[in-house]
Amino acid sequence: MYCLDSHLISTLGTGEPFFFIFGGRPLVQLMPIWGQYVYELTLVLLSTLWVYKTWRLSPDLYSRENLASRFRKQLEKLQLNISQYVEGRSLSELNTHEVYILAKVLPGFTREKRHAAYKGVVREALEEGYANYSSSLEVLQQLRQELGITDDEHREVLEELGIEDPELLNPARKRSLENQIRLTGYRKSLERLMLLQRQQDLTNADRSLDPNSVEIDALRRQYSISSQDEDWILSGISPESGSLRRAEFLLAQLPDLITCFRGLNQPILHKQQAVLTLLKSSIHHKKELIVRTILETLASLNNERAAISLAQQLGDLAPVVLLELLESENWHERLHPEIIEKLAPLSGGTSSCAIDYSSEETLKTLAPLLDDRNPLIQTACLYITAQLDLTQSQAIARNYTHIQTSPLLQETVKIILSASKECPPLTTFSLLEKVVHLFNSDFFHRMHSETLISLSERAEVRTFGNDEAITEAGDTCRELLLLIEGSANILYHLPNQEVRIERLKLGQTLDELEVLAHSDSKNTIVAKGDFTRILAVPVNAFDDLLDRDRDFARRVLELESRQLQRFMRSLQTI
């Protein structure tokens, strides 16, 4: 058992002191009779008021206030200047509605800070067991609606947290508010002990961290602290040390990702370019997240010796991703010149890649991707494994038959287990093929896996023969069309009754503007070749995505703006 000290009790909230009021009966009995009656009457009145106040508190309102309290903590960490907007009040004095309204109108609350605040709420909710990886999307729905956070942004936050702290998303690790309180109590007691020891002996400031310390050993027993708990707590006592440890942990993940990337570049897999592009892009995105987080740590550490060493290692491991981020973001302004100096000479380096791996060696390098939390990466890797070794992939697939997985993985497992001598081609995997082609298109590139899977379930693949009309001028556009195999021509009907022909490329979308405007098609699209395949996404599915994903809507607007500019330039040359 562990004990709760007075400092820890103060962190539990305003309601817990009432425990001591009700539990103080031995002291009350020392009072005169009239004093005891007054005391009991006061308890009855307070209890009645509490019941009256909370009787009409609905679960939705309770959840809203709970999330607002968590969000308020994150706003306080950002140290935003809010006094001029709330008439001198502090964040703690604002009610639930005022906190959310403030977040919407505060000029300094940028998109990056909104992302950081929401990420802090998600981290805290996961640490306390208030939500887990599966339930967090639903539990935090109210907060996302208030802040304008999309489902895909939420999944991106989970992906970042999973990279920074994989244990945070580990379903086997039990988390609870009580456990968080226990760890917080130990941390506060340890901080006070360190402060007292520094005051007694300034020359021995690190004595409190001695694992053989009698005082610390007593605290461990009091709070039932394990070695893993202590490592986490010690990193929290020193923010700089905690950031450095997290950065070193992230840096240690880069070699495995690099190895996977090399495995995907083997000539033995060159026939699976569409699936490989998906996996390469996903790994590259993970490397970007890791490198960006490490750069954040370097910015906070300034030019300390540990930061310089970390920068040197980062430059050696990820020169390509590092160069992209340094050129596209404002890291030159945020990082110390000495850190930039360590990174800059390595920015032009190239990484070599061995291209003589055998099938067994290639499968070994790709094995970590089979355990990835992203069902898209997991399924694509299982498909690649089946192309190299069907027997091995079937053994892996059997492990997924008795657990709840995504529809994409379920379909892939079923097809692989039913295969006999060799793995079927990608066209046999209906859902996976549609996801892969959507991912590789400009419209849907790098969209989160759940969204792609949902769209793929509603999409349909159609086949056309040579000179067969895919759409006719005047048809109502009910689908967004994507060319995935073969070729097709767009026949533009010009005002002077001339027809201009434009050849489509694989992966190019058709009738985007008409789909957005819900209008009739102005042009005719004709298949060329004996076998042309089109992926059709229903317009209502496309509209649903535009409504709930602002990032996707902005991306569509940018793509269509460029297309309109190209079209106008082409008209000027006629």
Side-chain angles (χ1 to χ4, degrees):
M1 286 293 291
Y2 55 86
C3 300
L4 295 175
D5 60 17
S6 60
H7 187 95
L8 175 59
I9 291 170
S10 66
T11 67
L12 298 180
T14 58
E16 281 70 9
F18 285 100
F19 168 81
F20 298 97
I21 296 177
F22 284 94
R25 177 60 58 184
L27 297 177
V28 174
Q29 291 178 348
L30 299 178
M31 300 171 60
I33 297 299
W34 64 268
Q36 296 182 33
Y37 282 119
V38 171
Y39 177 81
E40 293 177 352
L41 181 60
T42 303
L43 289 183
V44 173
L45 290 175
L46 290 175
S47 300
T48 303
L49 289 173
W50 179 83
V51 170
Y52 175 77
K53 181 180 179 180
T54 59
W55 187 264
R56 293 176 294 177
L57 189 62
S58 66
D60 290 341
L61 181 58
Y62 175 79
S63 176
R64 181 181 175 87
E65 292 181 351
N66 186 302
L67 293 175
S69 176
R70 297 173 186 274
F71 181 58
R72 187 183 289 110
K73 293 179 184 178
Q74 301 304 320
L75 289 180
E76 291 173 349
K77 293 179 181 180
L78 295 177
Q79 299 180 346
L80 298 171
N81 183 16
I82 66 168
S83 57
Q84 57 180 324
Y85 302 99
V86 293
E87 299 178 350
R89 291 185 294 168
S90 63
L91 277 170
S92 59
E93 297 173 324
L94 303 180
N95 61 37
T96 301
H97 302 286
E98 290 173 329
V99 169
Y100 288 135
I101 293 175
L102 177 66
K104 294 177 180 179
V105 303
L106 195 62
F109 193 57
T110 61
R111 184 185 179 192
E112 291 74 17
K113 291 184 177 180
R114 182 195 65 174
H115 181 87
Y118 182 74
K119 184 176 179 180
V121 173
V122 176
R123 182 192 296 275
E124 183 182 86
L126 293 173
E127 288 176 344
E128 295 181 358
Y130 179 73
N132 56 37
Y133 179 86
S134 302
S135 67
S136 59
L137 187 66
E138 180 180 356
V139 171
L140 301 176
Q141 181 179 0
Q142 290 181 341
L143 181 59
R144 289 201 312 280
Q145 291 175 347
E146 294 289 350
L147 300 182
I149 300 290
T150 65
D151 292 356
D152 283 346
E153 286 179 283
H154 172 80
R155 297 184 183 102
E156 183 177 346
V157 167
L158 288 178
E159 185 177 3
E160 293 175 4
L161 291 175
I163 290 176
E164 297 174 11
D165 185 4
E167 281 299 309
L168 199 61
L169 304 182
N170 185 359
R173 182 168 181 177
K174 301 300 182 181
R175 299 178 182 272
S176 66
L177 179 58
E178 292 77 7
N179 185 62
Q180 190 71 10
I181 291 172
R182 174 178 65 88
L183 298 178
T184 303
Y186 177 76
R187 178 172 62 84
K188 295 296 184 181
S189 299
L190 192 58
E191 288 175 345
R192 289 198 300 272
L193 180 60
M194 293 169 60
L195 179 60
L196 289 174
Q197 290 186 350
R198 289 192 181 98
Q199 292 174 348
Q200 295 173 359
D201 186 2
L202 297 177
T203 63
N204 192 17
D206 293 333
R207 178 172 168 255
S208 61
L209 297 178
D210 182 2
N212 298 321
S213 169
V214 177
E215 296 89 343
I216 291 185
D217 188 57
L219 285 178
R220 289 197 197 100
R221 293 195 303 270
Q222 182 180 0
Y223 289 94
S224 302
I225 297 298
S226 65
S227 58
Q228 293 84 357
D229 292 336
E230 189 166 44
D231 289 341
W232 180 82
I233 291 168
L234 291 178
S235 67
I237 290 177
S238 174
E240 294 79 10
S241 175
S243 298
L244 183 60
R245 289 188 184 188
R246 182 164 56 251
E248 291 174 345
F249 170 79
L250 293 175
L251 194 68
Q253 296 186 41
L254 285 175
D256 289 338
L257 292 177
I258 294 172
T259 300
C260 290
F261 194 82
R262 290 175 177 171
L264 294 173
N265 281 280
Q266 299 304 310
I268 196 173
L269 297 174
H270 74 279
K271 294 182 179 180
Q272 310 298 331
Q273 284 303 318
V275 181
L276 292 180
T277 301
L278 183 152
L279 288 173
K280 290 177 184 178
S281 178
S282 299
I283 292 177
H284 185 79
H285 180 55
K286 281 195 171 187
K287 290 166 67 175
E288 280 185 342
L289 292 176
I290 290 176
V291 172
R292 186 178 289 111
T293 304
I294 296 176
L295 290 176
E296 293 279 0
T297 302
L298 292 175
S300 64
L301 295 176
N302 209 352
N303 64 331
E304 297 181 14
R305 181 180 303 176
I308 295 175
S309 174
L310 188 65
Q312 182 73 52
Q313 298 177 64
L314 179 62
D316 290 336
L317 286 174
V320 177
V321 176
L322 182 60
L323 176 61
E324 293 175 356
L325 292 180
L326 290 177
E327 291 182 346
S328 61
E329 301 176 5
N330 63 337
W331 292 108
H332 286 276
E333 301 175 6
R334 300 179 57 187
L335 295 172
H336 191 276
E338 194 170 353
I339 298 296
I340 292 293
E341 183 180 353
K342 288 294 181 181
L343 296 174
L346 300 169
S347 61
T350 58
S351 56
S352 59
C353 176
I355 56 173
D356 55 354
Y357 288 179
S358 63
S359 298
E360 292 76 14
E361 291 173 327
T362 302
L363 290 175
K364 186 176 181 180
T365 62
L366 301 181
L369 300 181
L370 291 169
D371 298 323
D372 197 282
R373 292 184 180 276
N374 187 333
L376 189 52
I377 296 177
Q378 193 178 29
T379 305
C381 186
L382 180 61
Y383 169 80
I384 293 295
T385 302
Q387 299 299 319
L388 297 180
D389 190 331
L390 180 60
T391 302
Q392 181 175 339
S393 68
Q394 289 176 334
I396 297 172
R398 291 188 187 96
N399 296 329
Y400 299 120
T401 56
H402 301 295
I403 60 177
Q404 186 67 27
T405 58
S406 71
L408 176 65
L409 184 57
Q410 290 176 7
E411 181 200 73
T412 304
V413 165
K414 183 178 180 180
I415 296 174
I416 289 177
L417 290 177
S418 63
S420 55
K421 295 183 179 179
E422 60 181 17
C423 183
L426 182 60
T427 53
T428 308
F429 297 81
S430 173
L431 195 54
L432 177 60
E433 183 192 24
K434 289 185 286 187
V435 168
V436 168
H437 288 303
L438 287 175
F439 183 93
N440 290 331
S441 67
D442 289 338
F443 260 74
F444 304 100
H445 180 63
R446 269 198 178 182
M447 186 163 290
H448 286 272
S449 57
E450 288 83 356
T451 303
L452 286 176
I453 295 172
S454 177
L455 280 175
S456 299
E457 289 177 322
R458 301 170 67 176
E460 178 185 354
V461 176
R462 296 173 185 165
T463 304
F464 298 88
N466 189 35
D467 289 334
E468 187 175 352
I470 299 174
T471 63
E472 294 278 5
D475 290 347
T476 301
C477 291
R478 297 186 176 89
E479 296 161 328
L480 178 70
L481 306 179
L482 178 69
L483 179 64
I484 62 176
E485 187 175 351
S487 61
N489 290 341
I490 300 181
L491 308 180
Y492 292 98
H493 302 279
L494 303 178
N496 55 3
Q497 296 186 346
E498 294 183 3
V499 176
R500 184 171 63 88
I501 300 177
E502 178 181 324
R503 192 171 186 83
L504 291 174
K505 301 178 181 178
L506 289 176
Q508 184 175 346
T509 51
L510 319 174
D511 286 348
E512 310 99 312
L513 293 178
E514 288 79 3
V515 168
L516 290 173
H518 292 199
S519 61
D520 296 339
S521 177
K522 305 300 181 184
N523 308 297
T524 300
I525 303 176
V526 179
K528 289 297 178 182
D530 296 332
F531 195 72
T532 298
R533 300 172 72 229
I534 297 290
L535 180 62
V537 180
V539 64
N540 57 346
F542 191 75
D543 289 342
D544 291 343
L545 185 57
L546 286 174
D547 289 339
R548 71 170 186 262
D549 192 333
R550 294 183 299 175
D551 291 335
F552 175 68
R554 182 168 53 251
R555 186 192 315 168
V556 169
L557 182 60
E558 292 174 355
L559 289 171
E560 291 308 315
S561 297
R562 297 194 195 108
Q563 181 172 331
L564 284 173
Q565 290 173 355
R566 289 194 298 268
F567 179 69
M568 295 301 295
R569 285 195 294 267
S570 66
L571 291 179
Q572 294 174 359
T573 60
I574 297 177

